[in-house]
């Protein structure tokens, strides 16, 4: 009850749109990886160690469907977290700010890629910070997308200067991983959990 996952609609949309492809790529990648490792061992090793390694790889290869099911379960868990989070649907004002951000080439629209969805994330976050449901709430923006959101050529745990103002107050924080956010925001509980 002390943490609410706030989920912008664009996150749910992208997750749903890409899930099947990512699951398929993970499955293909794992099988391919086992095949490459097996070929390298077969080519470069010899004796009993070679046979033992090949036998173990064959055993693991038979477990690939189970491993893939576990990965799929992780996607199910993530989907459930997103579905049970507090949804944020962008307003027309936020959409207009996204367009202006893109025209001004301000982060996350400062690179050559299509950053409209990323700009939408930062705009709905800005609205959340500016209009908290409870003035005592703290907000954390967590992203692994350091190239679009983090400071360029500096400590990538810091926000890009174009968005740094959103994190200037004591109740808004920028993190580049969920683990870092939880460790900082719930230090005692997080350490105990780990």
């Amino acid at each position: 009850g002390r943490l609410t996952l706030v989920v912008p609609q664009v996150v749910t949309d992208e997750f749903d749109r890409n899930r099947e492809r990512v699951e398929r790529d993970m499955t293909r990648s794992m099988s391919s990886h086992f095949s490459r490792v097996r070929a390298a061992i077969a080519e470069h090793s010899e004796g009993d160690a070679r046979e033992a390694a090949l036998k173990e790889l064959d055993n693991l290869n038979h477990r690939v469907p189970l491993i893939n099911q576990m990965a799929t379960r992780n996607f199910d868990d993530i989907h459930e977290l997103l579905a049970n989070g507090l949804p944020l649907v962008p307003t027309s004002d936020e959409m207009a700010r996204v367009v202006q951000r893109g025209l001004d080439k301000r982060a996350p629209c400062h690179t050559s890629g299509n950053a409209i969805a990323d700009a939408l994330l930062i705009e709905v976050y800005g609205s959340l910070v500016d209009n908290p449901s409870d003035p005592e709430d703290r907000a954390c923006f967590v992203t692994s997308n350091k190239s679009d959101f983090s400071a360029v050529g500096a400590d990538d745990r810091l926000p890009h200067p174009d968005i740094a103002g959103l994190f200037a107050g004591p109740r808004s924080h920028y993190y580049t991983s969920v683990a870092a956010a939880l460790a900082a925001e719930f230090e005692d509980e997080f350490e105990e959990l780990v």
Side-chain angles (χ1 to χ4, degrees):
R2 293 175 51 213
L3 175 72
T4 301
L5 181 62
V6 179
V7 184
Q9 183 64 45
V10 68
V11 171
T12 305
D13 293 346
E14 284 193 18
F15 181 86
D16 290 342
R17 183 174 43 253
N18 294 308
R19 178 179 177 167
E20 186 177 313
R21 178 188 54 79
V22 172
E23 285 179 350
R24 187 176 55 246
D25 289 350
M26 284 177 58
T27 302
R28 195 175 318 135
S29 175
M30 192 172 302
S31 295
S32 173
H33 186 69
F34 276 128
S35 296
R36 285 193 309 271
V37 170
R38 190 179 201 298
I41 289 172
E43 183 180 340
H44 299 293
S45 63
E46 51 190 52
D48 292 341
R50 174 182 177 225
E51 295 309 315
L54 291 174
K55 184 177 180 181
E56 185 57 30
L57 279 172
D58 287 341
N59 287 338
L60 283 172
N61 202 28
H62 284 86
R63 289 189 225 148
V64 167
L66 178 62
I67 294 168
N68 290 336
Q69 283 179 342
M70 290 170 59
T72 301
R73 187 172 144 233
N74 289 342
F75 278 94
D76 291 341
D77 291 346
I78 292 167
H79 184 268
E80 185 178 336
L81 283 170
L82 295 176
N84 291 323
L86 176 66
L88 281 184
V89 178
T91 65
S92 56
D93 286 345
E94 291 161 346
M95 296 291 246
R97 289 197 308 264
V98 166
V99 171
Q100 191 60 54
R101 183 175 287 279
L103 292 171
D104 294 343
K105 299 285 188 209
R106 288 182 293 132
C109 299
H110 62 293
T111 61
S112 60
N114 179 0
I116 297 303
D118 292 334
L120 191 53
L121 292 175
I122 206 64
E123 291 299 338
V124 295
Y125 179 80
S127 294
L128 181 74
V129 169
D130 290 344
N131 304 299
S133 57
D134 180 340
E136 295 299 312
D137 281 351
R138 293 190 317 249
C140 300
F141 184 85
V142 182
T143 181
S144 60
N145 183 349
K146 297 174 187 175
S147 63
D148 288 335
F149 293 110
S150 290
V152 178
D155 185 347
D156 63 13
R157 294 172 296 171
L158 299 175
H160 190 282
D162 290 349
I163 62 172
L166 290 172
F167 309 101
R171 299 203 176 280
S172 177
H173 306 279
Y174 178 84
Y175 297 105
T176 55
S177 77
V178 172
L182 293 174
E185 299 296 321
F186 300 98
E187 187 175 354
D188 294 337
E189 292 107 321
F190 185 73
E191 286 178 14
E192 186 178 313
L193 208 66
V194 171

